[in-house]
Amino acid sequence: MDLIWLIPLIPAAGAALNGVIGIRYFSRRAAGLAACATMAAAFALAVAAFAGLLGLPPEARVHDVVLFDWIPPTALETAGGTIGGFHVPWAFRLDPLSAMMILVVTGIGFLIHVYSISYMADEPRGGVARYFAYLNLFASFMLVLVLGANFLVLFVGWEGVGLCSYLLIGYWYEKKSASDAGKKAFITNRIGDWGFLLGIFLVFFTFGTLDFREVAAAAATWPVEAATFGTLSIITLLLFVGATGKSAQIPLYVWLPDAMEGPTPVSALIHAATMVTAGVYMVGRTAVLFSHAPMTMEIVALVGVLTALLAASIGLVQTDIKRVLAYSTVSQLGFMFLAMGVGAFAAGAFHLMTHAFFKALLFLCSGAVIHAMAGEQDMLKMGGLRKHMPITFATMMIGTLAIAGIPPLAGFFSKDEILYRTFLSSRLLWGLAAAAALMTAFYMFRLMSLTFFGSYRGRPWHPASPPAEAEAAGDGPAHAAAAPHGHGHGSWHGPHEAPAPMTFALVTLAAGAVLAGFVGVPAALGGGNAIEHFLEPSFVAAGAAHGAGEALPAGPADAVPVAAAAAAGVAAPGEAHEGGAAHLSRGAELALMALSVVIGVVGILFAWRVYVRRPEIADRLAARFAGPHRVLKNKYYVDELYGATVIDGTMRGADGLWTFDRQVVDGAVNGSGWVTIIFSWISHVVDKYLVDGLVNLVGSVIQESSFVFRRVQTGLIQNYALLMMVGVFAFVSLYLLVR
């Protein structure tokens, strides 16, 4: 466990190797194998660290590794006017939550790397090395994020995955839609990061530390802010703003569907194992803070369920296979935040883990379909592919049934736990979540129906060896056609099964989608919900005996908001008590579980009827409900609304500021310059003609007067004697006159 610092370092070294050397010298295969080797090594270390953690008693499953002092102690003011020591070590922490996350990131990340070797085989050699460098770097930053022992180390990983998402989404940077999607993801996440940073600042100002365990221990001594929106509520709301950006929740979800512009393995990595789970992880990591802010938790739950509902409804009518899965991811993230909002932190983390398996599987299956269809992503131009791609069909069906919540697949256990805990907290939220689950089952089986069932609707091909059965079934044309070119192909000879590395990843993930849920079998089915007990220490303050947020405000239990009831260990009104936690009877829990299964089955059967048995129904429904269909097809016009308000408003504001700068600011500067020039000219005139003129006038007068006086000063004695006699005569005359 002391070597956990190597887990993020090894993929970073792989990124440096491919980015510095591989981009010049490695072949495509060498670049892929180098990247896969680093991920395999990181996964092996993660397994060893996880095994070491399991060997410790549950209360001692925390192991810190401090590498160095990142920010040395600095005196900064904290709440109450005291001076706290701002000290941030570069430290990693292994505990149950981070242990689960490093297994998910490295394990599923490794499979995505393996898959990418074949998927990216037709890219330029240098481009493949660049791709794998980005992919390794993405995994490295995500591992820093989940292993960070304090907010700032987590924030380094947080910003790193944001950067790598920009690089990978815009991998085909010469394609405008891809570069625009990368910029959209980057800018949208910066908006969320603004709130996250403010939350971090307020955490230090309030508690004088950024270490997660120290913050949790300090927050545990605070009363639950059930009646007031206090400091903890503000902190958690700001942190949640950051989570809405990274994990694509209302209103910052718009970047995630556009992220489909990147290569499909990138979509799998972003949507399943790394970036979008960062927000859910962060909320779980700060569970003690959130459990003491029930008003914020209600906001989290409401935003989560509304996001799940909105994204699921959009997914009902999309025809791009990757875009359907993108909205599915947004919806499933909403379920995770719903779990966090009702205090079911372990259930949310459990769904994060199971979702990583079946969503990575679904995306990689979609990539296999796109690969087989020479780059085609429109499901309306597919159909009947199960005959050509039996392994892809079988594995994608497993992923579809898992996300629909069909037992005994992984999605059933995690989604049912979320619905159960939501039912205990709020019947309204449960109803909305159940509606989202119904839509999930429908649009996912709609995807399967349009892609794998029915007759082939795609463009014709010229098979190298035309199969008779394909021609007889109408799945391939009998005539020769121009072979289109697309991703993963030179000349296209029709849909076919994926290459071995891709198939290996699909089969392995399908096994995970089948088996991963059994670590969380509920007590009602005879299990012990092992994952919840394993993760529980990560959601409580050090030394706490029960679930996160056990401190309660004074007053009756029904004064606690229902969204916080589960988090605080209090039964919502009308629920039974046992051991301080709300619960239903075993029969009621089984009935609720059966209802959730029925919801999934109904959605699947309805999609089967509409898109397989009687496909004309879909066209009739679209024509009958043309208005709602148009709204859903255009994603509620949210992008257009943002374009008309936020984007155009920003651009117009920028234009207005530019005009103000040019006309007012520059005008004032230029005007003051002209005023200075005018006044300097006036000063010049005054100086030249008034001041200098007066001085010159005095000089001229004196000069001219000197000519007169110079005539008197002749230097001749007789002239002086004459003047003296004239003076004496004048004096005597004046004297005699006045006498």
Side-chain angles (χ1 to χ4, degrees):
M1 290 191 292
D2 289 332
L3 297 178
I4 58 173
W5 57 276
L6 286 174
I7 297 175
L9 183 63
I10 292 175
L17 179 65
N18 263 320
V20 176
I21 299 175
I23 202 167
R24 288 175 175 266
Y25 305 111
F26 284 1
S27 66
R28 297 177 182 86
R29 186 171 184 81
L33 290 176
C36 291
T38 59
M39 288 303 298
F43 177 65
L45 285 174
V47 171
F50 182 80
L53 193 71
L54 281 180
L56 299 174
E59 66 277 3
R61 287 176 179 165
V62 177
H63 185 73
D64 289 352
V65 175
V66 179
L67 298 181
F68 54 86
D69 268 354
W70 180 21
I71 301 178
T74 305
L76 287 180
E77 184 178 354
T78 59
T82 59
I83 301 297
F86 182 65
H87 177 217
V88 181
W90 189 272
F92 292 141
R93 176 168 295 143
L94 185 70
D95 69 349
L97 182 60
S98 61
M100 182 193 77
M101 290 298 298
I102 60 175
L103 288 177
V104 169
V105 174
T106 56
I108 295 180
F110 168 71
L111 294 174
I112 292 171
H113 279 66
V114 171
Y115 180 98
S116 297
I117 293 177
S118 292
Y119 192 86
M120 303 297 288
D122 287 343
E123 290 295 310
R125 182 194 58 77
V128 172
R130 174 168 61 89
Y131 168 83
F132 278 110
Y134 293 164
L135 216 60
N136 268 171
L137 191 63
F138 203 161
S140 175
F141 275 124
M142 188 64 191
L143 290 165
V144 170
L145 189 155
V146 299
L147 284 171
N150 56 66
F151 278 96
L152 279 193
V153 175
L154 179 146
F155 190 72
V156 170
W158 186 277
E159 290 300 291
V161 295
L163 168 65
C164 292
S165 69
Y166 165 75
L167 296 173
L168 285 168
I169 293 169
Y171 170 76
W172 289 305
Y173 55 87
E174 294 181 349
K175 182 181 177 185
K176 187 177 186 303
S177 58
S179 60
D180 286 347
K183 289 182 285 187
K184 185 176 183 179
F186 191 80
I187 293 171
T188 304
N189 274 276
R190 298 293 74 71
I191 297 171
D193 294 349
W194 163 79
F196 189 36
L197 268 177
L198 291 180
I200 292 174
F201 295 157
L202 191 53
V203 165
F204 177 78
F205 183 74
T206 303
F207 300 109
T209 181
L210 292 178
D211 184 271
F212 289 122
R213 283 171 62 82
E214 293 176 4
V215 169
T221 64
W222 287 47
V224 175
E225 295 177 347
T228 59
F229 200 84
T231 302
L232 296 183
S233 298
I234 296 173
I235 289 173
T236 51
L237 186 60
L238 289 171
L239 296 179
F240 180 59
V241 170
T244 60
K246 272 292 181 289
S247 295
Q249 297 296 286
I250 293 173
L252 301 179
Y253 71 92
V254 291
W255 68 270
L256 192 56
D258 287 0
M260 299 302 97
E261 292 292 339
T264 300
V266 171
S267 303
L269 193 64
I270 291 176
H271 287 244
T274 57
M275 183 170 169
V276 296
T277 61
V280 179
Y281 168 82
M282 185 267 291
V283 173
R285 177 58 74 198
T286 55
V288 176
L289 286 173
F290 277 87
S291 62
H292 282 69
M295 293 184 184
T296 302
M297 290 185 69
E298 288 184 331
I299 295 173
V300 173
L302 185 61
V303 169
V305 75
L306 291 179
T307 302
L309 199 61
L310 178 138
S313 63
I314 295 174
L316 295 174
V317 299
Q318 301 301 309
T319 57
D320 186 308
I321 187 171
K322 287 176 65 177
R323 198 164 287 271
V324 173
L325 295 177
Y327 281 106
S328 168
T329 299
V330 176
S331 183
Q332 295 305 304
L333 290 167
F335 275 97
M336 297 176 206
F337 278 106
L338 172 62
M340 298 292 177
V342 299
F345 298 106
F350 181 30
H351 195 56
L352 184 157
M353 184 264 287
T354 61
H355 175 264
F357 281 101
F358 57 71
K359 184 52 61 69
L361 172 62
L362 290 168
F363 265 111
L364 296 187
C365 285
S366 74
V369 170
I370 295 168
H371 185 275
M373 293 296 293
E376 183 60 68
Q377 296 184 201
D378 189 347
M379 296 184 295
L380 299 180
K381 298 178 181 179
M382 298 179 186
L385 296 184
R386 72 185 188 279
K387 300 175 184 178
H388 306 283
M389 309 176 68
I391 298 176
T392 302
F393 166 70
T395 53
M396 198 165 193
M397 179 62 77
I398 290 173
T400 297
L401 296 176
I403 197 173
I406 303 301
L409 303 179
F412 162 73
F413 295 103
S414 57
K415 183 180 287 187
D416 180 74
E417 184 67 17
I418 293 174
L419 291 173
Y420 170 65
R421 294 296 297 271
T422 303
F423 185 84
L424 296 180
S425 177
S426 169
R427 305 295 190 270
L428 174 61
L429 294 180
W430 177 87
L432 296 174
L438 175 65
M439 287 188 277
T440 299
F442 176 83
Y443 69 66
M444 284 306 305
F445 208 78
R446 170 181 177 267
L447 180 151
M448 292 295 297
S449 301
L450 291 175
T451 304
F452 293 102
F453 292 96
S455 60
Y456 178 78
R457 301 179 299 277
R459 54 188 172 183
W461 73 88
H462 184 191
S465 300
E469 64 273 16
E471 183 178 341
D475 292 326
H479 62 279
H485 295 270
H487 181 78
H489 294 272
S491 294
W492 186 61
H493 300 296
H496 55 274
E497 193 58 85
M502 296 169 65
T503 303
F504 166 76
L506 299 185
V507 173
T508 306
L509 287 169
V514 173
L515 302 174
F518 288 99
V519 298
V521 178
L525 293 179
N529 208 340
I531 187 74
E532 181 174 350
H533 295 301
F534 174 71
L535 292 174
E536 182 184 15
S538 297
F539 304 130
V540 299
H546 301 290
E550 61 182 351
L552 298 176
D558 57 5
V560 182
V562 292
V570 177
E575 304 298 343
H577 269 280
E578 182 176 338
H583 74 286
L584 296 174
S585 66
R586 184 172 184 272
E589 186 175 351
L590 289 173
L592 196 63
M593 195 178 299
L595 179 59
S596 69
V597 174
V598 168
I599 289 171
V601 171
V602 167
I604 289 173
L605 293 178
F606 186 51
W608 172 265
R609 175 176 173 79
V610 172
Y611 291 98
V612 178
R613 298 295 297 275
R614 299 185 60 187
E616 70 277 3
I617 295 178
D619 296 330
R620 289 206 303 264
L621 289 175
R624 182 176 181 182
F625 300 100
H629 184 273
R630 190 181 310 110
V631 171
L632 294 177
K633 186 74 173 177
N634 289 280
K635 303 160 287 186
Y636 292 100
Y637 297 98
V638 172
D639 283 318
E640 290 77 4
L641 177 63
Y642 282 175
T645 55
V646 178
I647 298 173
D648 285 353
T650 301
M651 296 303 296
R652 290 175 182 175
D655 287 341
L657 289 174
W658 177 77
T659 302
F660 179 82
D661 179 70
R662 186 184 63 174
Q663 301 292 340
V664 178
V665 178
D666 288 352
V669 172
N670 295 335
S672 64
W674 280 108
V675 168
T676 302
I677 292 172
I678 293 171
F679 274 101
S680 66
W681 180 80
I682 294 173
S683 175
H684 163 72
V685 170
V686 170
D687 180 70
K688 181 177 180 180
Y689 294 103
L690 185 60
V691 178
D692 288 353
L694 183 60
V695 172
N696 294 335
L697 177 62
V698 172
S700 298
V701 169
I702 294 173
Q703 184 179 13
E704 293 300 327
S705 301
S706 68
F707 285 107
V708 176
F709 287 103
R710 189 172 62 184
R711 294 182 180 275
V712 177
Q713 305 294 328
T714 62
L716 299 176
I717 296 176
Q718 60 269 29
N719 289 344
Y720 294 155
L722 178 62
L723 286 175
M724 288 176 63
M725 290 183 64
V726 171
V728 170
F729 174 78
F731 176 75
V732 172
S733 298
L734 183 62
Y735 173 76
L736 293 176
L737 181 63
V738 298
R739 185 178 173 197

